PDB file of all heavy atoms in Angstrom:
ATOM      1  N   SER Q  65      68.835 113.740 220.723  1.00 97.00           N
ATOM      2  CA  SER Q  65      68.497 115.003 220.183  1.00 97.00           C
ATOM      3  C   SER Q  65      69.527 115.452 219.231  1.00 97.00           C
ATOM      4  O   SER Q  65      70.687 114.980 219.258  1.00 97.00           O
ATOM      5  CB  SER Q  65      68.278 116.023 221.314  1.00 97.00           C
ATOM      6  OG  SER Q  65      69.520 116.212 222.005  1.00 97.00           O
ATOM      7  N   ALA Q  66      69.238 116.415 218.415  1.00 97.00           N
ATOM      8  CA  ALA Q  66      70.211 116.960 217.465  1.00 97.00           C
ATOM      9  C   ALA Q  66      69.984 118.455 217.272  1.00 97.00           C
ATOM     10  O   ALA Q  66      68.934 118.986 217.661  1.00 97.00           O
ATOM     11  CB  ALA Q  66      70.096 116.227 216.156  1.00 97.00           C
ATOM     12  N   GLN Q  67      70.928 119.088 216.709  1.00 97.00           N
ATOM     13  CA  GLN Q  67      70.770 120.501 216.329  1.00 97.00           C
ATOM     14  C   GLN Q  67      71.771 120.805 215.222  1.00 97.00           C
ATOM     15  O   GLN Q  67      72.750 120.092 215.015  1.00 97.00           O
ATOM     16  CB  GLN Q  67      71.007 121.421 217.528  1.00 97.00           C
ATOM     17  CG  GLN Q  67      72.319 121.289 218.257  1.00 97.00           C
ATOM     18  CD  GLN Q  67      72.365 122.154 219.506  1.00 97.00           C
ATOM     19  OE1 GLN Q  67      71.863 123.250 219.499  1.00 97.00           O
ATOM     20  NE2 GLN Q  67      73.054 121.715 220.537  1.00 97.00           N
ATOM     21  N   GLN Q  68      71.415 121.858 214.486  1.00 98.00           N
ATOM     22  CA  GLN Q  68      72.269 122.343 213.414  1.00 98.00           C
ATOM     23  C   GLN Q  68      72.584 123.786 213.749  1.00 98.00           C
ATOM     24  O   GLN Q  68      71.703 124.614 213.971  1.00 98.00           O
ATOM     25  CB  GLN Q  68      71.609 122.196 212.054  1.00 98.00           C
ATOM     26  CG  GLN Q  68      72.548 122.599 210.903  1.00 98.00           C
ATOM     27  CD  GLN Q  68      71.885 122.476 209.525  1.00 98.00           C
ATOM     28  OE1 GLN Q  68      70.696 122.568 209.407  1.00 98.00           O
ATOM     29  NE2 GLN Q  68      72.705 122.206 208.501  1.00 98.00           N
ATOM     30  N   PHE Q  69      73.904 124.076 213.729  1.00 97.00           N
ATOM     31  CA  PHE Q  69      74.358 125.438 214.133  1.00 97.00           C
ATOM     32  C   PHE Q  69      74.367 126.372 212.910  1.00 97.00           C
ATOM     33  O   PHE Q  69      74.337 125.989 211.770  1.00 97.00           O
ATOM     34  CB  PHE Q  69      75.703 125.226 214.751  1.00 97.00           C
ATOM     35  CG  PHE Q  69      75.680 124.482 216.047  1.00 97.00           C
ATOM     36  CD1 PHE Q  69      75.719 123.060 216.056  1.00 97.00           C
ATOM     37  CD2 PHE Q  69      75.471 125.113 217.288  1.00 97.00           C
ATOM     38  CE1 PHE Q  69      75.657 122.341 217.223  1.00 97.00           C
ATOM     39  CE2 PHE Q  69      75.451 124.375 218.426  1.00 97.00           C
ATOM     40  CZ  PHE Q  69      75.506 123.008 218.412  1.00 97.00           C
ATOM     41  N   PRO Q  70      74.564 127.688 213.252  1.00 96.00           N
ATOM     42  CA  PRO Q  70      74.611 128.656 212.162  1.00 96.00           C
ATOM     43  C   PRO Q  70      75.700 128.393 211.082  1.00 96.00           C
ATOM     44  O   PRO Q  70      75.549 128.759 209.940  1.00 96.00           O
ATOM     45  CB  PRO Q  70      74.906 129.999 212.862  1.00 96.00           C
ATOM     46  CG  PRO Q  70      74.294 129.797 214.203  1.00 96.00           C
ATOM     47  CD  PRO Q  70      74.515 128.345 214.569  1.00 96.00           C
ATOM     48  N   ASP Q  71      76.779 127.745 211.479  1.00 96.00           N
ATOM     49  CA  ASP Q  71      77.815 127.410 210.463  1.00 96.00           C
ATOM     50  C   ASP Q  71      77.451 126.112 209.752  1.00 96.00           C
ATOM     51  O   ASP Q  71      78.261 125.639 208.948  1.00 96.00           O
ATOM     52  CB  ASP Q  71      79.210 127.324 211.104  1.00 96.00           C
ATOM     53  CG  ASP Q  71      79.351 126.115 212.068  1.00 96.00           C
ATOM     54  OD1 ASP Q  71      78.294 125.463 212.322  1.00 96.00           O
ATOM     55  OD2 ASP Q  71      80.457 125.903 212.479  1.00 96.00           O
ATOM     56  N   LEU Q  72      76.281 125.563 209.963  1.00 97.00           N
ATOM     57  CA  LEU Q  72      75.691 124.398 209.353  1.00 97.00           C
ATOM     58  C   LEU Q  72      76.205 123.084 209.832  1.00 97.00           C
ATOM     59  O   LEU Q  72      75.702 122.005 209.405  1.00 97.00           O
ATOM     60  CB  LEU Q  72      75.747 124.469 207.816  1.00 97.00           C
ATOM     61  CG  LEU Q  72      75.132 125.717 207.217  1.00 97.00           C
ATOM     62  CD1 LEU Q  72      75.358 125.787 205.716  1.00 97.00           C
ATOM     63  CD2 LEU Q  72      73.634 125.712 207.521  1.00 97.00           C
ATOM     64  N   HIS Q  73      77.200 123.085 210.735  1.00 97.00           N
ATOM     65  CA  HIS Q  73      77.560 121.743 211.264  1.00 97.00           C
ATOM     66  C   HIS Q  73      76.432 121.284 212.195  1.00 97.00           C
ATOM     67  O   HIS Q  73      75.650 122.058 212.648  1.00 97.00           O
ATOM     68  CB  HIS Q  73      78.914 121.803 211.984  1.00 97.00           C
ATOM     69  CG  HIS Q  73      78.909 122.140 213.412  1.00 97.00           C
ATOM     70  ND1 HIS Q  73      78.979 123.423 213.936  1.00 97.00           N
ATOM     71  CD2 HIS Q  73      78.824 121.295 214.509  1.00 97.00           C
ATOM     72  CE1 HIS Q  73      78.922 123.343 215.235  1.00 97.00           C
ATOM     73  NE2 HIS Q  73      78.842 122.121 215.637  1.00 97.00           N
ATOM     74  N   SER Q  74      76.430 120.020 212.427  1.00 98.00           N
ATOM     75  CA  SER Q  74      75.354 119.421 213.253  1.00 98.00           C
ATOM     76  C   SER Q  74      75.926 118.540 214.353  1.00 98.00           C
ATOM     77  O   SER Q  74      77.030 117.969 214.179  1.00 98.00           O
ATOM     78  CB  SER Q  74      74.417 118.638 212.402  1.00 98.00           C
ATOM     79  OG  SER Q  74      73.405 117.976 213.136  1.00 98.00           O
ATOM     80  N   GLU Q  75      75.181 118.437 215.415  1.00 98.00           N
ATOM     81  CA  GLU Q  75      75.614 117.548 216.508  1.00 98.00           C
ATOM     82  C   GLU Q  75      74.432 116.680 216.916  1.00 98.00           C
ATOM     83  O   GLU Q  75      73.261 117.094 216.889  1.00 98.00           O
ATOM     84  CB  GLU Q  75      76.078 118.361 217.735  1.00 98.00           C
ATOM     85  CG  GLU Q  75      77.403 119.049 217.455  1.00 98.00           C
ATOM     86  CD  GLU Q  75      77.859 119.874 218.668  1.00 98.00           C
ATOM     87  OE1 GLU Q  75      77.167 119.905 219.706  1.00 98.00           O
ATOM     88  OE2 GLU Q  75      78.925 120.438 218.614  1.00 98.00           O
ATOM     89  N   LEU Q  76      74.737 115.418 217.154  1.00 98.00           N
ATOM     90  CA  LEU Q  76      73.736 114.449 217.601  1.00 98.00           C
ATOM     91  C   LEU Q  76      74.090 114.027 218.982  1.00 98.00           C
ATOM     92  O   LEU Q  76      75.199 113.547 219.221  1.00 98.00           O
ATOM     93  CB  LEU Q  76      73.714 113.198 216.670  1.00 98.00           C
ATOM     94  CG  LEU Q  76      72.757 112.072 217.040  1.00 98.00           C
ATOM     95  CD1 LEU Q  76      71.271 112.501 216.826  1.00 98.00           C
ATOM     96  CD2 LEU Q  76      73.019 110.824 216.202  1.00 98.00           C
ATOM     97  N   ASN Q  77      73.189 114.324 219.908  1.00 98.00           N
ATOM     98  CA  ASN Q  77      73.420 114.040 221.299  1.00 98.00           C
ATOM     99  C   ASN Q  77      72.681 112.801 221.723  1.00 98.00           C
ATOM    100  O   ASN Q  77      71.446 112.687 221.524  1.00 98.00           O
ATOM    101  CB  ASN Q  77      72.955 115.228 222.203  1.00 98.00           C
ATOM    102  CG  ASN Q  77      73.659 116.511 221.842  1.00 98.00           C
ATOM    103  OD1 ASN Q  77      74.895 116.606 222.017  1.00 98.00           O
ATOM    104  ND2 ASN Q  77      72.953 117.504 221.287  1.00 98.00           N
ATOM    105  N   LEU Q  78      73.391 111.838 222.308  1.00 98.00           N
ATOM    106  CA  LEU Q  78      72.774 110.593 222.819  1.00 98.00           C
ATOM    107  C   LEU Q  78      72.947 110.525 224.286  1.00 98.00           C
ATOM    108  O   LEU Q  78      74.071 110.620 224.792  1.00 98.00           O
ATOM    109  CB  LEU Q  78      73.429 109.436 222.114  1.00 98.00           C
ATOM    110  CG  LEU Q  78      73.725 109.503 220.592  1.00 98.00           C
ATOM    111  CD1 LEU Q  78      74.491 108.275 220.122  1.00 98.00           C
ATOM    112  CD2 LEU Q  78      72.425 109.707 219.829  1.00 98.00           C
ATOM    113  N   SER Q  79      71.885 110.405 225.043  1.00 97.00           N
ATOM    114  CA  SER Q  79      71.966 110.413 226.484  1.00 97.00           C
ATOM    115  C   SER Q  79      71.380 109.127 227.068  1.00 97.00           C
ATOM    116  O   SER Q  79      70.663 108.374 226.399  1.00 97.00           O
ATOM    117  CB  SER Q  79      71.269 111.642 227.069  1.00 97.00           C
ATOM    118  OG  SER Q  79      69.876 111.614 226.782  1.00 97.00           O
ATOM    119  N   SER Q  80      71.658 108.946 228.396  1.00 97.00           N
ATOM    120  CA  SER Q  80      71.188 107.745 229.051  1.00 97.00           C
ATOM    121  C   SER Q  80      71.386 106.500 228.246  1.00 97.00           C
ATOM    122  O   SER Q  80      70.508 105.697 228.029  1.00 97.00           O
ATOM    123  CB  SER Q  80      69.685 107.833 229.427  1.00 97.00           C
ATOM    124  OG  SER Q  80      69.456 109.026 230.187  1.00 97.00           O
ATOM    125  N   LEU Q  81      72.612 106.355 227.756  1.00 98.00           N
ATOM    126  CA  LEU Q  81      72.913 105.316 226.803  1.00 98.00           C
ATOM    127  C   LEU Q  81      72.659 103.926 227.324  1.00 98.00           C
ATOM    128  O   LEU Q  81      72.916 103.606 228.500  1.00 98.00           O
ATOM    129  CB  LEU Q  81      74.423 105.488 226.347  1.00 98.00           C
ATOM    130  CG  LEU Q  81      74.664 106.622 225.395  1.00 98.00           C
ATOM    131  CD1 LEU Q  81      76.133 106.868 225.234  1.00 98.00           C
ATOM    132  CD2 LEU Q  81      74.021 106.312 224.046  1.00 98.00           C
ATOM    133  N   GLU Q  82      72.194 103.103 226.414  1.00 97.00           N
ATOM    134  CA  GLU Q  82      71.907 101.658 226.676  1.00 97.00           C
ATOM    135  C   GLU Q  82      72.752 100.834 225.762  1.00 97.00           C
ATOM    136  O   GLU Q  82      73.271 101.292 224.729  1.00 97.00           O
ATOM    137  CB  GLU Q  82      70.427 101.427 226.465  1.00 97.00           C
ATOM    138  CG  GLU Q  82      69.534 102.276 227.356  1.00 97.00           C
ATOM    139  CD  GLU Q  82      68.047 102.008 227.023  1.00 97.00           C
ATOM    140  OE1 GLU Q  82      67.712 101.237 226.080  1.00 97.00           O
ATOM    141  OE2 GLU Q  82      67.212 102.668 227.690  1.00 97.00           O
ATOM    142  N   LEU Q  83      72.871  99.534 226.130  1.00 96.00           N
ATOM    143  CA  LEU Q  83      73.697  98.616 225.310  1.00 96.00           C
ATOM    144  C   LEU Q  83      73.227  98.607 223.881  1.00 96.00           C
ATOM    145  O   LEU Q  83      74.004  98.559 222.927  1.00 96.00           O
ATOM    146  CB  LEU Q  83      73.624  97.223 225.920  1.00 96.00           C
ATOM    147  CG  LEU Q  83      74.278  97.058 227.256  1.00 96.00           C
ATOM    148  CD1 LEU Q  83      74.065  95.595 227.758  1.00 96.00           C
ATOM    149  CD2 LEU Q  83      75.703  97.410 227.318  1.00 96.00           C
ATOM    150  N   GLY Q  84      71.920  98.695 223.680  1.00 94.00           N
ATOM    151  CA  GLY Q  84      71.295  98.632 222.352  1.00 94.00           C
ATOM    152  C   GLY Q  84      71.564  99.855 221.504  1.00 94.00           C
ATOM    153  O   GLY Q  84      71.239  99.858 220.341  1.00 94.00           O
TER     154      GLY Q  84
END
Side-chain angles (χ1 to χ4, degrees):
Chain Q
S65 65
Q67 54 185 327
Q68 186 179 28
F69 295 86
D71 67 353
L72 301 176
H73 90 271
S74 178
E75 293 180 357
L76 179 66
N77 301 296
L78 316 177
S79 62
S80 303
L81 285 167
E82 302 176 358
L83 296 178

